[in-house]
Amino acid sequence: MITPVIAIHGGAGAMARAAMSPEKEQEYLDALRRIVAAGQQVLADGGSALDAVTEAVRLLEDCPLFNAGHGAVFTSAATHELDAAIMDGATLRSGAIANVSNVRNPVLAARKVMENSKHVFFVGAGAENYAAEQGLEIVDPSYFSTEARREQLLRVQRENPDAAVLDHDGQALVARGQPAPADPLDSDKKFGTVGAVALDAQGNLAAATSTGGITNKQVGRVGDAPLIGAGTYANNRTCAVSTTGTGEMFIRMVSAYDISALMEYTGASLEQAADRVVMEKLPTIEGKGGLVAVDAQGNVALPFNTEGMYRGFGRVGQQPEVAIYR
């Protein structure tokens, strides 16, 4: 008997312990627990792995605590550019969108691309038009904005106008008399992708990933999240993977697919393959971040090489397990 399972992440990065109150930590843990439980319920009701990861990522997009959908970070032009991808491990079908600014739930658009289009990847205005044609909710770009993210952009531009990810951490900010970030992970050094992977009762795997990018990024930049094989991958023969981190490095390493390839071609276990990619291979090119993965037997891996990663998983019939720090 297969016990269905779902795992989620909400970003990885450096610690800002001076910024964290017990109340703020609890807020994040409660959100993670609620979203894992929602994915578990989909699976418990007989839903597919695709349905479970879609629902989990949709909820992560709607939660302003995370950098996807409502609460997405700003580009250098003070705009939003959202990316998402989804993949079905049973068929290897996949769909992705990038650089959209008015689609309320990018993961839903990615799924429409997968299910209703002969193509895999739409970008920009073409992706927005396709989402509208498919009947998805279109919103004013201001929907994605929060005051905390706007302050974050201004802080980054004030400190280093050319930086997409700052080098200092929350403690350094406090030491200079500036307010600490309101995020348990330093928002300026956090890689704010969200994602989910799942195994359903039929033995099928799925993965989905969504992101608002990185603060102060150059307009038009696309990271690993919507790229099949880099930030998102699922194959029933091996595993499902969703990553979060320095997107350019995950692209160069084709990290999500690499875990599957290590399992298929070398016989490595999910844990061995995930640890090798995150702890050994990515650091050789200064790749930082982590991932969530599940294999065809229901084993779960949640490795990260940063100081923390918002993460959680839950098997049907069990309580969700969630964490931020090591």
Side-chain angles (χ1 to χ4, degrees):
M1 290 290 293
I2 295 173
T3 300
V5 61
I6 185 166
I8 69 171
H9 68 76
M15 289 299 179
R17 288 192 177 276
M20 188 193 61
S21 67
E23 293 77 18
K24 177 60 70 173
E25 180 179 10
Q26 195 60 50
E27 187 178 0
Y28 278 87
L29 293 174
D30 287 346
L32 291 168
R33 191 173 290 108
R34 172 177 59 83
I35 293 167
V36 170
Q40 286 177 292
Q41 190 61 53
V42 172
L43 296 170
D45 290 342
S48 68
L50 272 172
D51 289 340
V53 299
T54 301
E55 178 64 3
V57 172
R58 183 189 70 81
L59 291 171
L60 286 160
E61 288 174 343
D62 284 349
C63 180
L65 294 174
F66 303 104
N67 172 24
H70 179 55
V73 299
F74 286 88
T75 69
S76 58
T79 58
H80 299 288
E81 293 182 341
L82 312 178
D83 312 327
I86 193 167
M87 187 166 184
D88 178 6
T91 63
L92 303 187
R93 292 185 306 160
S94 55
I97 63 164
N99 287 354
V100 300
S101 61
N102 64 5
V103 181
R104 172 170 173 158
N105 290 110
V107 70
L108 300 184
R111 183 155 178 180
K112 290 291 188 182
V113 172
M114 180 186 74
E115 294 182 333
N116 298 338
S117 169
K118 62 183 178 181
H119 305 302
V120 169
F121 203 162
F122 285 87
V123 302
E128 294 172 346
N129 292 338
Y130 184 79
E133 291 167 2
Q134 292 294 310
L136 296 181
E137 184 175 357
I138 303 301
V139 296
D140 187 89
S142 62
Y143 164 79
F144 303 107
S145 304
T146 64
E147 197 54 41
R149 294 301 190 194
R150 192 178 300 279
E151 291 172 1
Q152 182 180 334
L153 172 68
L154 295 174
R155 185 172 65 248
V156 170
Q157 292 180 334
R158 186 168 58 243
E159 291 281 328
N160 184 351
D162 297 323
V165 179
L166 290 186
D167 292 328
H168 60 63
D169 61 14
Q171 285 86 339
L173 280 172
V174 175
R176 292 201 296 273
Q178 297 184 35
D183 194 325
L185 301 185
D186 182 354
S187 293
D188 301 335
K189 293 182 70 176
K190 187 184 77 180
F191 313 113
T193 306
V194 306
V197 294
L199 171 71
D200 63 30
Q202 287 70 47
N204 294 319
L205 294 165
T209 313
S210 182
T211 186
I214 52 178
T215 299
N216 202 41
K217 80 177 180 83
Q218 187 169 339
V219 173
R221 176 263 188 188
V222 176
D224 63 314
L227 298 184
I228 301 303
T232 306
Y233 191 73
N235 186 332
N236 276 12
R237 292 169 58 90
T238 52
C239 61
V241 181
S242 175
T243 74
T244 175
T246 45
E248 283 73 8
M249 309 312 174
F250 281 72
I251 293 170
R252 288 162 58 187
M253 283 287 187
V254 200
S255 296
Y257 174 72
D258 196 22
I259 293 170
S260 174
L262 285 167
M263 294 176 67
E264 185 167 5
Y265 301 141
T266 75
S269 68
L270 177 70
E271 182 178 15
Q272 290 169 336
D275 281 350
R276 183 173 179 196
V277 169
V278 173
M279 302 302 187
E280 298 178 24
K281 300 183 79 170
L282 279 165
T284 65
I285 57 170
E286 299 184 353
K288 298 186 188 323
L291 56 86
V292 294
V294 60
D295 68 15
Q297 289 73 47
N299 298 303
V300 173
L302 306 95
F304 53 98
N305 62 27
T306 51
E307 293 170 89
M309 181 172 76
Y310 298 113
R311 62 199 187 277
F313 74 96
R315 303 182 191 282
V316 168
Q318 299 179 14
Q319 290 298 311
E321 296 186 29
V322 299
I324 301 173
Y325 308 109
R326 288 199 174 280

